[in-house]
Amino acid sequence: MNSALPHRLDGKFVLITGAASGIGAAIARRCADEGARVACSDRDTASTKALAASLGPNALAVDCDVTDPDSVQDAVDATAQAFGRLDGLVHNAAAPSTDGTVADLAVDKWRLEVDVSLTGAFL
Ligand SMILES: NC(=O)c1ccc[n+]([C@@H]2O[C@H](COP(=O)([O-])OP(=O)(O)OC[C@H]3O[C@@H](n4cnc5c(N)ncnc54)[C@H](O)[C@@H]3O)[C@@H](O)[C@H]2O)c1
């Protein structure tokens, strides 16, 4: 916890998808530093658990594949059970990035992008 930051999220409850690495992990850390209780969700269970443990007792690790409706429902249920309510959601999960331009993109990679970014946001 960074005590130099203002606690603008004191008393708030936030769920972050794709929190196991990169920008999602940074968002989780910042939300926790600002006082929020954070549900860190990702399909990468080990990294999500490690992140939540590093954030202390105010953080929760939640397994979630954002492309799977049942998995999303389970993640929301687990968060609701632990937190009692939800004030914020950051849908940050993203399919692994690919090199090249859209012209080089195979259709299966495009479908995965749409599934994770768009359908994941809908779910
Ligand atoms: N890195 C950049 O320069 C950049 C720039 C603009 C926007 N963004 C956006 O920011 C977000 C994070 O980017 P990043 O660079 O940190 O990516 P990253 O690849 O480091 O992290 C993405 C996370 O999403 C998770 N993920 C992938 N598929 C998932 C699924 N089906 N269900 C749940 N989790 C899943 C991965 O396990 C990973 O932890 C993405 O939405 C990306 O499009 C990134």
Side-chain angles (χ1 to χ4, degrees):
M1 193 105 158
N2 183 345
S3 57
L5 286 171
H7 282 191
R8 295 178 295 187
L9 298 178
D10 268 346
K12 301 293 185 188
F13 298 82
V14 181
L15 170 64
I16 300 157
T17 71
S21 67
I23 294 169
I27 293 169
R29 279 193 204 96
R30 184 59 184 261
C31 287
D33 281 346
E34 297 254 12
R37 290 199 65 188
V38 183
C40 306
S41 79
D42 203 288
R43 61 180 185 169
D44 177 348
T45 307
S47 301
T48 310
K49 280 186 178 162
L51 173 68
S54 78
L55 296 179
N58 278 342
L60 174 73
V62 181
D63 276 330
C64 182
D65 179 342
V66 298
T67 67
D68 175 349
D70 291 336
S71 178
V72 172
Q73 188 64 61
D74 288 348
V76 172
D77 289 348
T79 304
Q81 191 171 6
F83 289 172
R85 68 165 207 269
L86 198 55
D87 300 297
L89 166 69
V90 182
H91 179 50
N92 160 84
S97 58
T98 47
D99 293 330
T101 69
V102 71
D104 305 313
L105 196 61
V107 71
D108 61 325
K109 299 273 186 202
W110 169 252
R111 287 191 171 122
L112 183 60
E113 294 267 1
V114 170
D115 217 18
V116 176
S117 297
L118 195 58
T119 307
F122 167 75
L123 291 173

